[in-house]
Amino acid sequence: MIHLGAAVAVKPLRADARYRNTLARAFTMVTAENVMKFGPVHPAPARYDFRGADAIVRFATARRMAVRGHTLVWHSQQPVWLTGGRFSRRALAAVLRAHIRTVAGRYRGRIAAWDVVNEAVADDGTPRRTLWSAGLGPGYLEQAFAWANEADPVARLFYNDYGIEALGRKSDAVYRLAERLLARGAPLHGVGFQAHLGLDDLPRWRDVEANLRRFAALGLLVQVTELDVRIPGKAGRRALARQADAYRRLLEICLTIPTCTAFVTWGFTDRHSWVPNFFKGYGAALPFDASYRPKPAMRAVQRLLGR
Ligand code: XIL
């Protein structure tokens, strides 16, 4: 069974019944778009704010939807007490360990998959230099997986990254990283392929298929975790049809791999999407339009899944 999932923003979840209804009707899995990240969930050294994360987990659980946790170790959206703090190696390890234990522990048994580590590899394939890698040394990845496994032994633990959908320097580096973690016995269960794609820069699908297959051949789950297909300029009929094609191709590939267990879009309606803010001049990247009408991309997905 493959989950069709979407990242969820807490504001419209609270404020907009159409948002809630569309989400519950069309999807079987949710990811927290922001509220489980370090900064939002752990705003002060001794203070956690679980209100948003709880709201999402509660919504999902009440509707028997699965939850992806996102994310425990990342270089972005960190609180200033962390980025501006000065920690010894031991102190920083204690911070991360307590954070993982507290956040993953709170939802123990209710999270299907955790993005334990997000984006730890730079675009050129070298290890990304972050607060964590600089402060803890290269062993921090393995440690993070071990701590997450202690905190929630049920959740499947993922390494998640962007720009690793096709073959290339970065996906080679992540592949070797996964091999290394597995060889050392780390509880790595899957790799998440974010798939923030551009309609003007789509990957070669043959390469995407070969790439996902080689990760699956390591015995790993593979999931599409943050799909959007941004359209440059105005989204006309032709662009929407080509976008639907991209959604369809990627899902087709996923469906040929038995361990591809989730296909998750980063948001679901063009009304609430990070794309126009982050990629200037682009938009309309998601499967529902801004009025919650299914776009050709959504119809293609539903056709393939027989839903
Ligand atoms: C994005 C959110 O969608 C935005 O709302 C936020 O301002 C920045 O982060 N890769 C990830 C996600 O793993 O967490 C990012 O989400 C998008 C890129």
Side-chain angles (χ1 to χ4, degrees):
M1 214 273 283
I2 184 170
H3 277 295
L4 182 59
V8 174
V10 169
K11 241 196 249 161
L13 185 73
R14 292 208 170 104
D16 187 349
R18 284 178 309 170
Y19 186 92
R20 289 192 295 276
N21 292 339
T22 308
L23 178 63
R25 208 171 327 115
F27 298 91
T28 61
M29 178 179 248
V30 297
T31 307
E33 183 173 356
N34 284 300
V35 291
M36 288 186 188
K37 293 171 179 173
F38 207 120
V41 84
H42 193 172
R47 194 163 71 80
Y48 289 85
D49 180 349
F50 287 114
R51 287 171 296 182
D54 283 357
I56 290 176
V57 173
R58 215 180 305 119
F59 179 89
T61 309
R63 289 160 185 79
R64 300 176 186 280
M65 299 168 87
V67 182
R68 295 194 89 262
H70 178 82
T71 174
L72 298 169
V73 182
W74 194 26
H75 62 277
S76 194
Q77 289 179 270
Q78 301 184 121
V80 284
W81 68 265
L82 193 59
T83 52
R86 293 176 59 188
F87 300 90
S88 68
R89 190 179 179 129
R90 271 192 61 179
L92 190 64
V95 164
L96 184 57
R97 181 174 199 179
H99 176 82
I100 291 175
R101 192 192 286 152
T102 305
V103 178
R106 182 178 185 86
Y107 302 110
R108 183 190 181 109
R110 286 187 286 169
I111 303 285
W114 260 112
D115 291 330
V116 176
V117 177
N118 197 31
E119 303 177 351
V121 173
D123 294 353
D124 65 0
T126 59
R128 188 190 290 273
R129 201 179 153 76
T130 69
L131 183 126
W132 305 116
S133 69
L136 300 174
Y140 81 104
L141 290 170
E142 245 177 287
Q143 288 219 301
F145 280 97
W147 289 334
N149 196 227
E150 270 169 35
D152 186 343
V154 181
R156 301 292 82 193
L157 305 182
F158 278 70
Y159 175 85
N160 190 54
D161 214 328
Y162 67 86
I164 58 165
E165 294 77 25
L167 298 167
R169 235 179 351 175
K170 186 171 178 181
S171 71
D172 286 352
V174 171
Y175 180 80
R176 286 192 302 269
L177 171 63
E179 273 186 324
R180 199 158 61 240
L181 286 168
L182 291 172
R184 300 175 69 97
L188 170 74
H189 308 127
V191 170
F193 301 82
Q194 292 186 9
H196 294 292
L197 307 179
L199 194 58
D200 52 357
D201 186 26
L202 289 172
R204 293 167 45 166
W205 299 113
R206 257 185 309 141
D207 290 359
V208 173
E209 177 160 11
N211 188 48
L212 264 54
R213 279 187 184 287
R214 70 171 168 165
F215 279 93
L218 292 176
L220 292 168
L221 301 170
V222 295
Q223 299 188 339
V224 173
T225 52
E226 306 186 13
L227 175 64
D228 43 31
V229 182
R230 59 186 179 271
I231 294 175
K234 192 180 127 24
R237 266 225 342 247
R238 268 182 52 83
L240 291 171
R242 287 181 46 233
Q243 178 184 57
D245 234 54
Y247 272 78
R248 177 180 59 76
R249 291 302 307 263
L250 188 54
L251 180 55
E252 273 172 357
I253 290 168
C254 189
L255 289 173
T256 66
I257 302 174
T259 53
C260 185
T261 47
F263 187 82
V264 181
T265 55
W266 203 241
F268 58 93
T269 165
D270 291 334
R271 194 180 193 86
H272 303 283
S273 167
W274 78 308
V275 163
N277 301 321
F278 194 83
F279 300 97
K280 297 294 171 211
Y282 289 83
L286 291 169
F288 288 87
D289 71 14
S291 310
Y292 297 95
R293 281 184 301 249
K295 292 158 64 179
M298 189 63 201
R299 292 200 293 272
V301 165
Q302 284 172 325
R303 209 175 305 125
L304 267 181
L305 295 177
R307 293 184 187 160

